[in-house]
Amino acid sequence: KDERVVQLIKRYLKSGVMENGVVIDTEEGSPQGGNLSPLLANIYLNEFDQEYLKRGVPCIRYADDIVLLAKSKRASERLLESSTKYLEERLKLTVNREKSRTVSVFAIRNFKFLGFALGRNGKGIYVRVHPKSWKKFKSRLKELSSRKRCQSIKPSLEKIKVYARGWLNYYGIASMKNNIDDINGWLYHRIRMCIWKQWKKPRTKYKNLVKLGIPEHYAATIANSRRKYWYISNNKAVIWALNKERLINSGFYDLATAYQSVHVNY
């Protein structure tokens, strides 16, 4: 037993939580989503890991998400029953029976584990990002690149970069080039839309377009257009004026380039 770890855990448990800027003492348990929960899970469930290692059962566990592998459906059903019994009776834990089930990893499409979709196709075994994870990722990017949030573009680009970089570092092992390219193009479009809205007045739009190399007569037509932001930001001249190179130099985090640099390590 490492006394330093014990003291660290005690400090975490007594540190309290912050709600609306106010620190509130915690009387029991640990804050949900905190760094302490996975540590406690690893300490407490180590006995479970060792038990099933002795039994020769392949066990994949991340905090309290557990996958046990068996060679047949019948064996998996016995394994589910015995592992549930061990967790509840031996370790005094409550198993979520709605989420606990036996499945064939390859018989179902997109077996989900920790946000990934695992399966097999004609090319072999694949690891992809699960559709639910994609939906959550795009929803968050949409929130960070909304016209209301992007009133100041550089801070918004920095927030997008921090979030997207963390996401890619986690999911970088997955095969997702086409999906990343699609979201990357969509995100460029949204950033152009935000910049176009920031320019506000037709005169400002005209001056900026000309400054970025758009011919005056064409810039005047676009600047005075009554089309919506999303439509105009996909205009060829606006795309050329606010091209990838310029946006990257302004702080845009290119998802496609970042994914290639992360994925190549796997």
Side-chain angles (χ1 to χ4, degrees):
K1 183 169 71 173
D2 191 329
E3 187 61 31
R4 293 173 300 174
V5 176
V6 173
Q7 291 302 319
L8 183 61
I9 291 173
K10 285 182 178 179
R11 290 179 185 177
Y12 259 112
L13 292 173
K14 294 179 180 180
S15 63
V17 294
M18 182 172 287
E19 293 184 7
N20 299 321
V22 179
V23 177
I24 301 174
D25 293 334
T26 48
E27 297 181 0
E28 61 180 6
S30 62
Q32 186 174 1
N35 296 331
L36 184 60
S37 297
L39 174 61
L40 292 177
N42 286 337
I43 293 172
Y44 196 71
L45 289 171
N46 181 62
E47 180 182 330
F48 179 88
D49 298 341
Q50 298 305 317
E51 175 64 26
Y52 280 84
L53 181 63
K54 290 178 185 177
R55 298 185 189 186
V57 177
C59 175
I60 302 102
R61 182 179 63 79
Y62 183 85
D64 60 349
D65 286 320
I66 304 171
V67 172
L68 298 174
L69 301 178
K71 293 183 178 180
S72 68
K73 182 178 180 180
R74 186 176 178 182
S76 68
E77 290 171 348
R78 290 198 302 267
L79 197 54
L80 176 61
E81 183 180 350
S82 65
S83 60
T84 300
K85 184 177 180 180
Y86 190 92
L87 289 167
E88 292 188 333
E89 295 184 6
R90 172 79 177 182
L91 298 181
K92 308 301 180 184
L93 297 172
T94 301
V95 175
N96 187 332
R97 295 178 183 271
E98 291 183 2
K99 293 184 178 181
S100 303
R101 65 190 191 280
T102 62
V103 296
S104 171
V105 176
F106 300 126
I108 66 170
R109 186 180 180 185
N110 292 336
F111 171 73
K112 185 175 183 288
F113 184 59
L114 302 178
F116 290 94
L118 312 174
R120 181 170 59 188
N121 54 23
K123 297 180 181 179
I125 297 172
Y126 62 76
V127 179
R128 298 172 182 165
V129 178
H130 194 273
K132 288 184 179 179
S133 302
W134 275 121
K135 186 177 180 180
K136 186 177 180 181
F137 179 53
K138 190 171 183 179
S139 177
R140 179 59 177 156
L141 288 177
K142 187 175 182 179
E143 181 184 342
L144 291 173
S145 61
S146 66
R147 296 200 302 265
K148 291 181 180 179
R149 279 181 172 264
C150 286
Q151 293 178 359
S152 181
I153 197 67
K154 286 199 172 182
S156 297
L157 289 177
E158 182 61 27
K159 289 178 181 178
I160 291 171
K161 178 180 179 179
V162 170
Y163 172 69
R165 182 170 55 195
W167 192 91
L168 282 175
N169 283 337
Y170 179 77
Y171 286 104
I173 192 174
S175 299
M176 53 174 165
K177 184 180 183 304
N178 292 338
N179 298 71
I180 280 292
D181 288 343
D182 289 343
I183 285 191
N184 203 39
W186 168 82
L187 188 57
Y188 270 116
H189 190 172
R190 288 189 64 80
I191 296 303
R192 290 195 304 271
M193 176 187 68
C194 290
I195 294 173
W196 188 253
K197 185 189 178 185
Q198 277 187 348
W199 289 350
K200 293 183 179 179
K201 297 180 180 180
R203 183 172 58 184
T204 305
K205 294 173 182 176
Y206 170 77
K207 286 183 177 180
N208 286 332
L209 287 173
V210 171
K211 186 178 179 180
L212 292 170
I214 304 301
E216 292 183 359
H217 67 283
Y218 200 9
T221 301
I222 300 168
N224 288 285
S225 174
R226 294 184 177 273
R227 293 277 194 171
K228 293 184 177 181
Y229 298 119
W230 183 252
Y231 181 90
I232 289 295
S233 57
N234 205 36
N235 178 278
K236 289 182 179 180
V238 176
I239 293 174
W240 191 90
L242 299 173
N243 57 46
K244 286 187 178 183
E245 185 178 354
R246 283 177 175 149
L247 290 180
I248 289 172
N249 289 336
S250 297
F252 184 87
Y253 186 67
D254 187 83
L255 298 177
T257 303
Y259 169 66
Q260 289 176 0
S261 64
V262 171
H263 189 67
V264 74
N265 295 322
Y266 292 101

